[in-house]
């Protein structure tokens, strides 16, 4: 029993933090937010060289072959820095191929995802944003050895940057007649557009498909049987999102604690008053508890797959509520300056709003926990 | 990161399970005095009482991971507690092990392990609760005795205890209020001690006021040096905190709540089908699971030899919140029937939910209130200015 990070993981964390502090502090994040791609293309290639893009991809396919616990270490730091990049999307796309692809498919796509020449993302959700087989209505029309797709995928993370889309679609009318496939962003009938959103550090867009062709060689796993794989991708997404949420929540807490020490009102630092001190203590309780829940879920991904649904749901549900509260209290405890564009705390509030529904909000995940518990 | 236990640890778990299979029949009445006595004798024989105390004093000399396994397995089967002297085992014993003289160890430790009699804790006073270090009950040295005058209050089970661990002020002139406090071990039959039980809101009397009138306590019953009482107390309270076992009991309570939700109704349908009820039960599950995993993270720190400080307040806060919310939620599920207590014909489950919903102060107030835990986190971990 050892519920702690290894020395290597502590080193990885220090390395990531050092790079992000030096190369992408919040002033830089603010600049990148305003650019068209929304992230630094130059830093992207550096991350590839450092091996972070392929962190969870096996060495045989050009990655570093590490675990999702290591990935969580990385995510806590990118979350802390609000680092804008398609890292999570690319890793999730790689996970889809790793989980369900053939050796040939892995060899074909993974090296490009690991070396940063391909940017991947998941295109699972539709207008309803329902995470369930019935939420996927996009119908694949059989055409010889292929399927043709016409319709829209919504809430696609990093849609504007990606050139590889893992798409979920329906192969028949049966509840779970679903398939997963890899689509090339440059293929005919495939068009992704970025949308204007609240949190400019997390770009989201729409994937429009107009007779896009899915050849057999692009199908991940047999058609009509993809739901378990899709559900697992949602769990991975929930875990990855929670990893970044923890880092961001911890940063919001640190910013607010520092402000409470510096800001003098009524003759004392406001951190002396329990009206300020107690919500900060509650934030700490929530950050600690989210960490514990998440680390366990990330461990289960590698070591105890049967426990993934419950543990991922507990972590994301708890985080969704807690981080939403932390965003609001963080701004409120800054007083009026928290409302200004100049102060950084509002950036974290926006991240909390982005993260709450991503890969399932607390209502969704708590309901799933209740179901899994036999209610 | 690894949640698997070693083969040795798993073997120990098997041993505990085998013991439970052999000695804890499913239909054992856990309130039956004869059964409890026999049970206590058997666990004592295995040296599972005082499991992690040194062997020299009669403890088990065990490791902390095995202790967790032991308590977990016991809680899963709803076994009676390990040992019958709660405060003696929780903090009096560990304090004597750490600060006691050889004579004190020989005199008290075996009796605590055997559960021969009860101990109580004389810390709080009418004017002094959260601000414990401001206590004023006086102990004046006269030759080889301390003469104690003053009052204690909220002393749990004082009326059934043979001994008390008592904090008195022996030096009123000291600079800091934390100095000048001394810890004494006091026999409750000493002349000049008067115990008056206090009835609590659920109708029982489990704590008392204790009055001291020229009570003479031999100096040989002082625990630690004169003026060192605060340190003795702080380390005693720290040794009390292994919340992981409690978690197993809380999971069981959650299961019982879920059962209750299945048999009660809401808007004419089973409560367990109601979205808000389902969500609330899942929220409880998340908090209890967070407590379990927080506990394992703190245990990992201990195993790596890193000091634990105030992190344990995190779980104390979760526990306090859960105790109130789960207790109250049960009443909500019962609707109007929640009024019926033990003795009423229509009481559900013998009226136990009502009693449960009135007993939260034991967990929420006893041992320090939520406000105080939040101050501790804010000041000692986040380093915010002191109150
Ligand atoms: C949208 C907006 C419009 C405004 N318009 C006007 C206007 O037209 N005219 C004008 O004069 N002002 C205006 N204000 C300023 C407003 O009145 C102040 O922001 C407010 O009084 C809080 O002061 P502060 O921002 O300095 O926060 P601070 O006083 O620095 O407080 C920071 C945090 O500490 C807490 N805190 C401070 N002291 C204590 C204490 N003793 N105990 C517990 N908690 C404490 C606060 O609750 C807050 O959460 C406006 C503010 C906003 C946001
Ligand atoms: C069931 C039970 C069993 C107990 N058993 C024992 C026992 O065996 N031995 C023993 O010595 N004691 C015992 N206690 C006493 C217990 O430790 C105290 O009740 C507790 O520490 C709180 O002290 P108090 O009751 O004087 O409340 P107070 O300290 O008067 O507090 C009243 C309220 O004010 C709040 N408050 C106080 N100070 C602050 C502050 N600085 N900031 C913010 N809020 C504050 C508190 O949180 C609380 O809500 C027991 C109590 C209970 C309920």
């Amino acid at each position: 029993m050892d519920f702690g990070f290894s020395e290597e993981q502590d080193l990885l964390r220090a390395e990531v933090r050092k790079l992000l502090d030096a190369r992408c502090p919040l002033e830089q994040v603010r600049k990148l937010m305003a650019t068209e791609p929304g992230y630094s293309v130059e830093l992207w290639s550096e991350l590839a060289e450092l091996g972070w893009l392929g962190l969870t991809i096996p060495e045989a396919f050009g990655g570093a072959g590490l675990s999702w616990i290591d990935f969580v270490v990385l995510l806590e730091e990118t979350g802390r820095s609000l680092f804008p990049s398609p890292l999570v999307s690319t890793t999730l796309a790689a996970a889809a191929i790793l989980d369900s692809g053939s050796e040939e498919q892995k060899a074909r796509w993974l090296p490009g995802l690991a070396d940063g020449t391909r940017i991947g993302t998941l295109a699972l959700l539709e207008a309803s944003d329902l995470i369930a087989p019935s939420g996927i209505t996009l119908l694949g029309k059989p055409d010889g050895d292929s399927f043709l797709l016409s319709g829209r995928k919504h809430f696609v993370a990093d849609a504007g940057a990606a050139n590889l889309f893992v798409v979920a679609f329906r192969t028949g009318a049966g509840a779970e007649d679903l398939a997963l496939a890899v689509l090339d962003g440059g293929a005919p009938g495939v068009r992704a557009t970025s949308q204007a959103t609240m949190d400019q550090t997390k770009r989201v867009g729409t994937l429009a498909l107009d007779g896009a062709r899915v050849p057999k060689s692009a199908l991940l796993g047999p058609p009509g049987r993809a739901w378990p794989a899709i559900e697992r991708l949602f769990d991975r997404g929930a875990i990855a999102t929670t990893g970044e949420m923890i880092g961001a929540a911890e940063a919001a807490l640190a910013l607010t604690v520092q402000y409470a020490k510096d800001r003098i009102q009524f003759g004392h630092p406001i951190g002396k008053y329990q009206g300020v001190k107690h919500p900060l203590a509650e934030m700490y309780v929530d950050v600690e508890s989210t960490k514990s829940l998440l680390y366990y879920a990330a461990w289960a991904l590698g070591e105890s797959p049967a426990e993934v649904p419950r543990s991922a749901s507990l972590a994301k549900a708890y985080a969704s509520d807690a981080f939403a509260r932390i965003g609001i209290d963080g701004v409120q405890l800054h007083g009026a300056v928290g409302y200004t564009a100049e102060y950084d705390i509002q950036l974290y509030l926006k991240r909390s709003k982005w993260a709450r529904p991503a890969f399932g909000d607390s209502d969704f995940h708590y309901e799933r926990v209740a179901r899994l518990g036999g209610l | 990161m690894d949640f698997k236990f070693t083969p040795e640890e798993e073997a120990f778990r098997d041993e505990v399970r085998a013991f439970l299979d052999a000695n804890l029949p499913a239909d054992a009445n856990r309130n039956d005095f004869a059964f409890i006595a026999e049970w206590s004798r058997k666990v004592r024989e295995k040296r599972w009482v005082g499991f992690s105390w040194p062997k020299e004093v009669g403890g088990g000399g065990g490791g902390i991971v095995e202790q967790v396994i032991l308590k977990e397995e016991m809680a899963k089967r709803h076994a009676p507690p390990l040992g019958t002297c709660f405060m003696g085992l929780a903090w009096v014993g560990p304090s004597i092990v750490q600060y006691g003289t050889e004579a004190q160890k020989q005199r008290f430790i075996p009796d605590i392990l055997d559960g021969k009699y009860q101990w109580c804790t004389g810390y709080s006073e009418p004017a002094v609760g959260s601000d414990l270090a401001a206590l004023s009950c006086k102990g004046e040295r006269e030759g080889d005795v301390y003469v104690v005058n003053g009052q204690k209050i909220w002393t749990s089970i004082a009326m059934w205890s043979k001994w008390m661990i008592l904090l008195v002020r022996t030096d009123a002139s000291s600079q800091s209020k934390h100095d000048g406090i001394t810890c004494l071990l006091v026999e409750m039959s000493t002349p000049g001690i008067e115990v008056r039980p206090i009835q609590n809101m659920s109708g029982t009397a489990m704590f008392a006021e204790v009055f001291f009138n020229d009570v003479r306590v031999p100096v040989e019953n002082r625990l630690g040096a004169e003026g060192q009482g605060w340190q003795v107390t702080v380390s005693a309270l720290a040794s009390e905190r292994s919340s992981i076992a409690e978690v197993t009991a809380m999971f069981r309570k959650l299961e019982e709540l879920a059962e209750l939700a299945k048999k009660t109704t809401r808007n004419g349908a089973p409560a367990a089908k109601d979205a808000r009820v389902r969500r609330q039960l899942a929220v409880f599950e998340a908090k209890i699971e967070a407590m379990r995993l927080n506990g394992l993270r703190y245990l990992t720190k201990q195993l790596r030899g890193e000091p634990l400080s105030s992190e344990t307040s995190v779980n104390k806060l979760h526990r306090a919140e859960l105790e109130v919310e789960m207790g109250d939620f049960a009443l909500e599920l019962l609707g109007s029937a929640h009024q019926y207590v033990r003795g009423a014909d229509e009481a559900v489950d013998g009226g136990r939910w009502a009693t449960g919903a009135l007993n939260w102060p034991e967990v929420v107030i006893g041992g320090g209130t939520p406000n105080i835990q939040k101050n501790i986190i804010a000041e000692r971990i986040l380093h915010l200015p002191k109150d």
Side-chain angles (χ1 to χ4, degrees), chain B residues 76 93 100-101 111 113 147 183 195 240 259 262 359 365 374:
Chain B
K76 268 186 214 159
T101 61
D111 289 352
L113 291 170
V147 180
C183 184
V195 178
E240 174 215 347
E259 287 309 311
K262 284 178 188 164
N359 282 343
I365 302 174
K374 287 179 197 170

Side-chain angles (χ1 to χ4, degrees), chain A residues 157-174:
Chain A
D158 303 302
N163 53 22
L164 181 155
F165 297 86
V166 174
V167 183
F169 66 94
R170 184 159 282 290
T171 54

Side-chain angles (χ1 to χ4, degrees), chain B residues 197-234:
Chain B
I198 303 171
Q199 200 175 46
N200 67 29
M201 68 171 161
S202 59
T204 47
M206 53 69 70
F207 49 30
E209 296 179 281
V210 184
F211 298 87
F212 296 83
N213 193 1
D214 284 333
V215 174
R216 299 169 74 81
V217 181
V219 169
E220 66 184 41
N221 287 358
R222 185 186 67 213
L223 185 58
E226 185 170 302
Q228 212 192 8
W230 187 253
Q231 289 87 299
V232 173
T233 307
V234 168

Side-chain angles (χ1 to χ4, degrees), chain B residues 12-191:
Chain B
F12 179 69
R13 190 186 293 279
D14 291 340
E15 184 188 342
V16 176
R17 285 182 180 159
F19 174 84
L20 288 165
D21 288 341
N23 296 290
L24 187 67
D27 58 352
N29 177 358
R30 286 156 178 78
N31 296 319
D32 172 13
F33 186 76
F35 165 71
I36 298 271
E38 182 58 11
W39 165 264
S40 303
R41 195 186 56 71
K42 285 179 183 158
V43 289
R44 176 73 189 101
E45 240 166 42
K46 299 272 308 173
R47 290 207 171 216
W48 285 352
V49 184
F51 181 85
S52 63
W53 300 10
K55 280 210 163 114
E56 307 85 82
V57 301
I64 51 182
V65 175
E66 284 161 314
Q67 170 151 307
V68 166
I69 293 172
L70 175 62
K71 290 191 172 175
E72 244 179 26
E73 292 303 318
M74 293 274 171
K76 268 186 214 159
R77 300 278 189 98
H78 196 176
L82 287 164
T84 50
C85 175
F86 170 67
M87 284 181 250
L89 290 167
W91 55 80
V92 179
S95 305
I96 295 175
V97 168
Q98 193 179 349
Y99 290 95
T101 61
E102 219 27 65
Q104 287 170 341
K105 286 181 200 169
Q106 282 178 19
R107 179 171 181 195
F108 296 116
I109 297 292
D111 289 352
I112 288 175
L113 291 170
D114 291 339
K116 268 209 183 133
Y117 44 77
Q118 293 297 329
W119 281 78
C120 63
T121 304
Y123 291 170
S124 304
E125 299 177 10
V128 170
S130 301
D131 188 12
L132 179 57
L135 60 89
S136 67
C137 183
K138 242 186 346 192
E140 283 170 304
R141 178 89 184 245
E142 274 181 23
D144 54 5
V145 296
Y146 287 96
V147 180
V148 177
N149 278 288
Q151 185 196 339
K152 294 287 166 178
I153 195 167
W154 317 126
T155 318
S156 297
I157 67 164
M159 48 290 212
W160 306 304
S161 298
K162 184 167 153 69
W163 284 84
M164 171 189 272
I165 184 166
L166 172 71
L167 288 181
V168 292
R169 187 161 298 284
T170 42
D171 180 3
S173 67
S174 56
Q175 289 279 314
S176 145
K177 66 183 179 184
H178 295 93
D179 297 332
I181 295 175
T182 298
C183 184
L184 301 175
L185 306 175
V186 183
E187 192 153 16
M188 293 299 281
S189 59
T190 317

Side-chain angles (χ1 to χ4, degrees), chain A residues 2 274 282 292 310 362-363, chain B residues 2 279 285 294 374 387:
Chain A
D2 181 13
Q274 291 184 353
E282 284 161 19
S292 298
R310 173 177 174 270
S362 60
D363 274 343
Chain B
D2 186 5
R279 186 183 208 278
E285 183 169 338
N294 286 339
K374 287 179 197 170
D387 226 292

